Amino acid sequence: MAPTQNRAKRSSVSPCSVLLAMFIVFVSLRGVSCQSPVFACDVSKNPELGAFGFCNSSLGIAARVNDLVMRLTLQEKIGFLGDKVAALSRLGIPNYEWWSEALHGVSYVGPGTHFSSVVPGATSFPMVILTAASFNTSLFEAIGKVVSTEARSMYNVGLAGLTFWSPNINILRDPRWGRSQETPGEDPLLSSKYASAYVRGLQQRDDGDPNKLKVAACCKHYTAYDLDSWKGTDRFHFNAVVTKQDLDDTFQPPFKSCVIDGNVASVMCSFNKVNGIPTCADPDLLAGVIRGEWHLNGYIVSDCDSVDVIYNSQHYTKTPEEAAAKSILAGLDLDCGSFLGQHTEAALNAGFLNESAVDKAISNNFATLMRLGFFDGDPSKQLYGNLGPKDVCTPENQELAREAARQGIVLLKNGPGSLPLSATTIKSLAVIGPNANVTKTMIGNYEGSPCRYTTPLQGLTALVPTLYQPGCPNVACTTAQLDDAKTIASQADATVLVVGADQSIESEGRDRVDVRLPGQQALLVTEVAKVAKGPVILVIMSGGAMDISFAKDDNNVSSILWVGYPGEAGGAAMADLIFGYYNPSGKLPMTWYSQDYVDKVPMTNMNMRQDPTTGYPGRTYRFYTGETVYSFGDGLSYSKVSHQLALAPKLVSIPLEEGHVCQSQECKSIELRDSSCQNLGFDIHLKVKNMGRMSGSHTIFLFNTPPSVHNAPKKHLLGFQKVSLTAESEQLVHFKVDVCKDLSVVDEFGSRKVPLGSHILHVGSLKYSLNVGT
């Protein structure tokens, strides 16, 4: 999400609060102007506010919201439809900026948050794609909890808001998408688990009060959004033509989980159209699904300036007033931008909508702020009032950033005698590549100012003596500087090449055409590997997948690691794995295709399923059957793990009510009904054994290949667990399978059905046949 025009940041400076004085021992405030947290109902300074019902925290939220809305003039109401809210002094409400970001740490993107000498940085975790590669739901939630604590700490000293427009949970449909790095990958189940866990970490309070929020999260960008700018097509004009089957089977599940399982406070609609209708003006998608079917407890916000885009770029309406009315009537509550503020009154005067629709929208916004304690007076007297600069960038938070990177890094290739290296036997290590000594590249986009950086070179140098040559001036690498790189590789006991991409190659607004290593990076790798004296470890730093077939097939390249954009501690985490202080456990959350694949498949084709009549190959591991460079779920360890089935049923029967059509005729699938689905499940027990001499964590995947009906996926993920196994130890892993939820597929009309017949369950190389009948 980014605005289509520059927006000024607010800087309302107030005297230093008493709260800041408590932290003077931790930070130097000499010569620094300080800010106070922004909040309403400051009864201690203005006792008259105590008479307002909306300031009475003993009342229910609905009653407080109604009291506030009835006190507003129409013009004041309209002022609360945009992200930049002006102060309303007569009611004791200060200005508020809704737009803050916390994708993988508190970010300075968005005018609601900034850093200063009071809080110069916040913990910068790996980009989401690498965190997702950990397949560890408890880690997702732990990161969210740290980010929300640091966000509240910054709010208390006037440096942040309370509403954060994160996470990005769009499905990674195509490897060229510039925002791949922001997403949890290509699988609907993983993305759903990430969404709900991270949101819980951000929002849940330590007192367990479900009606209140620590900070308010926002799941974005709803929906079927995964193209920014590719070969002349941009997100402001793109019409995503999506089948009902693909929409409900692939694109919607993460948002559904975010709202229902995560109880998220907000959903952001996207720039693009879906089947001809802009998402922010689609009443079926917004009021119908998000609020109607899923019962969102919160507000729906537009991507920045996307209501403007509806009128000015997509020309969906003839007038700006119609665009304003259509979006509000569709269910939009908040406009990131000024369009609704400029055109809603004219829309009302023209009869396109009535005032009650505006009341409804701002009521959802106010209710969210009520749950955050914004209308409860001085936040220093509330649950998180004691947080401040001392709680940001703590050693524990920074260690979690390092641990998150360690858990996500994926070992893709490991030849005999390569990794792990020994810090006692390596006397010199050649470190080469355009990303070998980078800082900001490691933290990706939607970044904040990190606590500090540990570059790959610094991480490795902390363990062994190093020789360093960049080999390329930057990732574009128009001319590789081979001679010096080859010289140090030929002398050193081992070589680490750190290559890949950065925001100049893949980013918001910038999709790729080429998925190979940029410029002459492949030449650098190949030439250095030819002359290297010892093992050659290739490290790929990128968000999106890369076609590195040349290195995979090159016997001179001993090992390959993918490290995503690994966050502030990325260099230390890499060194931990390379030298065996940590056993790799990451698994790819997306398919790595060859350049040949993307040359054949237009990025604008939204179809997930293959089409034999046209030769369209399909997308993601669920539907694509061709050759890949690496596959979803790939990832090696320094220890081999065995799987043995301990308990599983051979047959599952679905009860049918009297007179069901499938009692008198043969059915290929059963439509889901509450009566037949209730308590219909079974257990699978697996013995998982670490066969190696090194302890480590291992991800256990449970896949299912359903019967071939309704153009079902060739396989799909039912569940995953991350287990910790000491050397040569065994553990019993338990999966609980819900038949209607886990074994069902979406048919051509968007309905979920359970296929009858043989389902093949997969765990590693183990396959098990389960018959589902009636």
Side-chain angles (χ1 to χ4, degrees):
M1 179 200 60
T4 52
Q5 58 192 22
N6 292 324
R7 316 249 330 268
K9 292 186 179 181
R10 184 185 66 245
S11 57
S12 59
V13 178
S14 61
C16 296
S17 67
V18 175
L19 182 62
L20 277 185
M22 296 166 59
F23 306 125
I24 200 165
V25 67
F26 301 103
V27 293
S28 170
L29 300 180
R30 186 179 303 166
V32 178
S33 60
C34 309
Q35 294 178 296
S36 299
V38 175
F39 62 94
C41 299
D42 192 355
V43 178
S44 61
K45 289 185 178 177
N46 185 356
E48 293 179 4
L49 299 176
F52 294 147
F54 68 86
C55 288
N56 184 351
S57 60
S58 67
L59 296 177
I61 287 176
R64 298 176 72 188
V65 169
N66 289 338
D67 179 80
L68 175 53
V69 171
M70 74 176 192
R71 296 177 187 276
L72 302 176
T73 67
L74 175 60
Q75 288 72 28
E76 288 169 344
K77 291 175 182 178
I78 292 170
F80 285 104
L81 290 171
D83 68 289
K84 192 178 293 295
V85 177
L88 188 57
S89 56
R90 72 179 183 86
L91 296 179
I93 302 173
N95 22 338
Y96 181 72
E97 174 56 68
W98 285 80
W99 180 10
S100 291
E101 302 276 356
L103 180 70
H104 56 114
V106 181
S107 169
Y108 49 58
V109 177
T113 303
H114 59 277
F115 293 93
S116 73
S117 55
V118 178
V119 180
T123 308
S124 187
F125 291 92
M127 283 300 288
V128 177
I129 194 73
L130 188 72
T131 297
S134 73
F135 284 87
N136 186 345
T137 54
S138 62
L139 176 66
F140 306 158
E141 188 166 339
I143 292 172
K145 189 169 184 178
V146 166
V147 173
S148 60
T149 295
E150 295 197 346
R152 269 282 177 175
S153 303
M154 293 177 67
Y155 169 73
N156 285 344
V157 291
L159 294 173
L162 293 167
T163 46
F164 290 83
W165 292 346
S166 304
N168 179 344
I169 57 168
N170 292 113
I171 291 291
L172 176 50
R173 174 184 60 97
D174 192 291
R176 292 164 286 193
W177 190 26
R179 305 187 75 170
S180 300
Q181 59 193 295
E182 300 176 34
T183 76
E186 71 183 33
D187 181 70
L189 178 71
L190 172 60
S191 298
S192 297
K193 297 284 189 185
Y194 178 85
S196 56
Y198 188 64
V199 165
R200 283 194 299 269
L202 288 176
Q203 293 193 163
Q204 285 186 351
R205 286 164 49 107
D206 294 321
D207 62 3
D209 189 337
N211 296 315
K212 294 186 177 180
L213 299 165
K214 189 177 179 185
V215 301
C218 173
C219 284
K220 62 186 188 184
H221 311 78
Y222 180 84
T223 183
Y225 162 62
D226 50 19
L227 180 150
D228 269 61
S229 182
W230 181 80
K231 292 190 175 182
T233 301
D234 67 47
R235 60 184 176 174
F236 307 117
H237 300 87
F238 181 52
N239 177 30
V241 179
V242 187
T243 67
K244 181 65 174 166
Q245 186 175 30
D246 282 340
L247 190 68
D248 290 347
D249 177 51
T250 295
F251 298 108
Q252 294 289 71
F255 291 98
K256 183 177 182 179
S257 181
C258 190
V259 175
I260 294 175
D261 303 325
N263 193 24
V264 76
S266 178
V267 174
M268 175 182 287
C269 50
S270 53
F271 284 114
N272 56 291
K273 297 178 186 176
V274 173
N275 298 326
I277 305 174
T279 64
C280 292
D282 191 328
D284 291 334
L285 286 176
L286 303 189
V289 175
I290 297 177
R291 201 169 293 283
E293 292 181 22
W294 300 343
H295 306 294
L296 173 72
N297 181 16
Y299 68 102
I300 299 174
V301 61
S302 73
D303 205 336
C304 288
D305 297 318
S306 64
V307 185
D308 182 284
V309 165
I310 289 171
Y311 170 68
N312 282 311
S313 298
Q314 296 170 339
H315 307 298
Y316 185 67
T317 61
K318 291 181 180 179
T319 65
E321 295 81 13
E322 288 176 284
K326 278 185 178 293
S327 59
I328 293 172
L329 290 173
L332 188 73
D333 302 308
L334 189 74
D335 172 24
C336 177
S338 56
F339 194 87
L340 291 185
Q342 294 168 354
H343 300 291
T344 298
E345 188 169 1
L348 287 160
N349 292 336
F352 292 133
L353 78 164
N354 55 40
E355 193 171 343
S356 64
V358 175
D359 291 350
K360 187 177 178 182
I362 62 172
S363 292
N364 291 325
N365 302 338
F366 287 141
T368 304
L369 292 177
M370 296 277 181
R371 295 173 68 202
L372 287 161
F374 183 83
F375 287 94
D376 291 351
D378 188 350
S380 69
K381 297 179 172 63
Q382 297 180 39
L383 178 60
Y384 296 105
N386 63 333
L387 295 175
K390 73 181 192 311
D391 301 295
V392 183
C393 286
T394 65
E396 295 80 8
N397 294 357
Q398 294 188 66
E399 178 57 30
L400 185 63
R402 182 171 178 169
E403 175 64 15
R406 284 191 293 236
Q407 288 198 30
I409 292 173
V410 183
L411 177 62
L412 292 169
K413 176 182 177 180
N414 199 22
S418 186
L419 294 179
L421 301 179
S422 168
T424 56
T425 58
I426 298 290
K427 303 303 179 189
S428 65
L429 181 71
V431 183
I432 298 166
N435 281 339
N437 198 31
V438 292
T439 53
K440 194 173 181 184
T441 297
M442 294 196 302
I443 62 173
N445 69 357
Y446 282 82
E447 75 283 9
S449 298
C451 309
R452 64 190 189 100
Y453 287 110
T454 304
T455 72
L457 179 61
Q458 289 170 336
L460 295 165
T461 303
L463 299 178
V464 294
T466 56
L467 303 165
Y468 167 64
Q469 287 291 334
C472 294
N474 50 48
V475 291
C477 196
T478 52
T479 306
Q481 300 155 351
L482 298 176
D483 292 345
D484 291 340
K486 289 166 70 174
T487 297
I488 63 169
S490 66
Q491 297 170 353
D493 295 328
T495 298
V496 175
L497 283 147
V498 191
V499 299
D502 63 14
Q503 302 305 304
S504 70
I505 302 294
E506 52 176 1
S507 61
E508 182 175 4
R510 180 180 287 117
D511 299 328
R512 292 183 292 162
V513 173
D514 196 317
V515 297
R516 292 168 292 209
L517 285 177
Q520 294 189 356
Q521 289 189 52
L523 176 67
L524 173 69
V525 172
T526 301
E527 291 300 306
V528 165
K530 281 181 185 175
V531 301
K533 184 174 81 170
V536 175
I537 295 92
L538 176 63
V539 177
I540 310 294
M541 190 180 292
S542 70
M546 293 280 186
D547 181 356
I548 52 167
S549 308
F550 78 95
K552 179 182 179 181
D553 298 335
D554 187 344
N555 291 332
N556 293 322
V557 177
S558 317
S559 302
I560 301 175
L561 290 165
W562 174 69
V563 300
Y565 293 121
E568 64 172 44
M574 283 170 46
D576 290 340
L577 267 74
I578 288 171
F579 282 94
Y581 297 112
Y582 191 91
N583 197 345
S585 64
K587 304 285 187 181
L588 285 182
M590 74 294 208
T591 303
W592 286 33
Y593 304 93
S594 67
Q595 179 65 31
D596 202 36
Y597 171 88
V598 299
D599 286 341
K600 293 175 183 173
V601 179
M603 199 172 169
T604 48
N605 189 325
M606 297 293 293
N607 292 330
M608 300 303 298
R609 289 155 167 81
Q610 60 180 311
D611 184 352
T613 62
T614 63
Y616 181 73
R619 296 180 181 276
T620 77
Y621 82 94
R622 299 169 72 226
F623 302 104
Y624 176 63
T625 57
E627 293 295 315
T628 61
V629 181
Y630 289 106
S631 299
F632 175 89
D634 279 357
L636 304 172
S637 166
Y638 296 148
S639 307
K640 286 190 176 179
V641 174
S642 69
H643 309 96
Q644 182 183 348
L645 194 63
L647 174 70
K650 277 285 185 184
L651 173 67
V652 172
S653 293
I654 300 176
L656 300 179
E657 63 267 27
E658 191 175 343
H660 194 286
V661 65
C662 295
Q663 288 182 334
S664 57
Q665 66 184 55
E666 186 179 350
C667 292
K668 292 184 177 180
S669 63
I670 299 284
E671 191 157 2
L672 303 193
R673 294 180 183 172
D674 290 341
S675 57
S676 55
C677 286
Q678 213 162 22
N679 301 319
L680 188 60
F682 59 89
D683 293 333
I684 291 180
H685 293 175
L686 292 157
K687 290 180 182 177
V688 181
K689 186 172 183 180
N690 181 351
M691 310 292 284
R693 298 180 180 178
M694 188 172 181
S695 299
S697 294
H698 300 273
T699 297
I700 314 301
F701 293 119
L702 177 62
F703 289 102
N704 178 40
T705 296
S708 298
V709 295
H710 306 304
N711 211 357
K714 64 186 181 76
K715 74 172 183 175
H716 63 110
L717 190 60
L718 298 190
F720 57 87
Q721 289 187 41
K722 191 125 185 175
V723 297
S724 182
L725 294 168
T726 56
E728 300 179 339
S729 71
E730 187 176 85
Q731 191 174 134
L732 194 66
V733 176
H734 173 218
F735 285 99
K736 194 164 190 66
V737 179
D738 181 318
V739 171
C740 291
K741 181 180 178 183
D742 298 325
L743 299 187
S744 62
V745 299
V746 176
D747 73 6
E748 296 81 354
F749 306 102
S751 297
R752 278 211 164 264
K753 294 181 176 178
V754 179
L756 301 177
S758 179
H759 291 247
I760 308 298
L761 304 180
H762 312 241
V763 178
S765 59
L766 183 71
K767 291 187 179 181
Y768 179 79
S769 179
L770 168 74
N771 195 61
V772 177
T774 58

